Amino acid sequence: MAEPKQERATRTREEILRAAAEVFDERGYNGASMREIMKRAGVTLGAVYFHFPSKEALARQVMNAQPATIIPRLGTEGLQRAVDITLVWARQLQEDPLLRAGVRLAVEQTSLQFEDTASYAEWRRIFEACLLEARANGELRDHVSTRETAEFLVGACTGLQLYSDLICRRADLPHRTAVMWELLLPGIAVESVAKSIEIGARQASALSD
């Protein structure tokens, strides 16, 4: 039985996106070409341009796909959810080319021909939603600004992965992420919650499996 047209188109689009992520991850935006992405995906150049009108449009889609590689793995809420997002992110950056490419493209933007802060804004929104839930649950100290803390987390994670990538190709990123929370939690969470949050390597492994 022939594959339905809509399902085939969706599968082709996903294959192109995954191929583009691999190429962007390996070569960066400037080093990637639509022809190489076409060959990696095993489709025609026309198929690539049918789904994505330009390399910039494809790069934007890769950048904005980051949360989809992480959020479906989570079942927690509040402050634990914010922690879990970063733990899964740290592990998946070691393994998932779609996430790695999205992060690389987001960081490279200052030297590219386009700028798109949507991926950073979306992470800020996701973290702030977790922190607002944490506030409603009585998990945060009174002085904590959910907006400022969310923006700090986006910036801190960006810096962590850059430094870890430079030092050891992100081999220690899960550990560095856990240390970040060990330093941060006592200042933002009420004492009982700070002691109960799971931030170790076992938690990261369980979430990423």
Side-chain angles (χ1 to χ4, degrees):
M1 182 180 294
E3 184 179 15
K5 185 176 181 180
Q6 185 59 44
E7 291 182 12
R8 185 167 65 251
T10 299
R11 179 172 56 80
T12 298
R13 188 178 189 278
E14 291 174 351
E15 289 171 350
I16 294 168
L17 191 65
R18 176 61 60 173
E22 292 175 357
V23 176
F24 285 134
D25 179 37
E26 294 166 8
R27 302 187 183 281
Y29 182 82
N30 289 330
S33 72
M34 293 294 264
R35 285 193 175 277
E36 184 173 6
I37 292 167
M38 169 198 75
K39 292 177 181 178
R40 189 75 62 95
V43 300
T44 66
L45 194 58
V48 175
Y49 280 109
F50 174 81
H51 290 280
F52 302 97
S54 66
K55 186 170 75 168
E56 179 180 325
L58 190 45
R60 290 179 188 273
Q61 187 60 43
V62 170
M63 281 196 296
N64 294 330
Q66 294 176 60
T69 68
I70 295 172
I71 301 303
R73 298 172 179 270
L74 307 177
T76 48
E77 63 179 25
L79 197 51
Q80 183 67 64
R81 185 175 181 84
V83 171
D84 289 348
I85 287 170
T86 65
L87 294 176
V88 173
W89 166 85
R91 283 294 298 269
Q92 291 302 106
L93 267 175
Q94 298 173 329
E95 303 169 359
D96 188 341
L98 181 57
L99 180 59
R100 282 200 306 267
V103 168
R104 176 170 181 168
L105 289 168
V107 171
E108 282 185 348
Q109 286 185 83
T110 54
S111 63
L112 300 181
Q113 299 171 346
F114 70 92
E115 290 188 7
D116 186 342
T117 60
S119 61
Y120 289 113
E122 179 63 6
W123 280 124
R124 191 230 10 111
R125 186 197 67 76
I126 289 169
F127 280 127
E128 187 168 16
C130 296
L131 294 165
L132 286 170
E133 189 173 43
R135 166 140 290 150
N137 293 341
E139 298 175 355
L140 298 182
R141 294 183 181 272
D142 292 340
H143 72 275
V144 175
S145 164
T146 55
R147 179 62 176 260
E148 291 179 356
T149 305
E151 290 180 341
F152 168 82
L153 287 170
V154 174
C157 288
T158 300
L160 277 177
Q161 71 86 18
L162 281 170
Y163 184 64
S164 179
D165 189 31
L166 178 64
I167 296 299
C168 59
R169 306 304 295 170
R170 300 193 182 103
D172 67 354
L173 185 56
H175 171 71
R176 290 184 184 276
T177 304
V179 170
M180 176 189 74
W181 283 109
E182 289 174 357
L183 296 171
L184 182 60
L185 281 173
I188 67 169
V190 298
E191 186 175 359
S192 60
V193 173
K195 291 180 178 179
S196 67
I197 294 290
E198 295 284 344
I199 60 174
R202 182 178 299 177
Q203 176 76 353
S205 297
L207 291 165
S208 298
D209 290 341

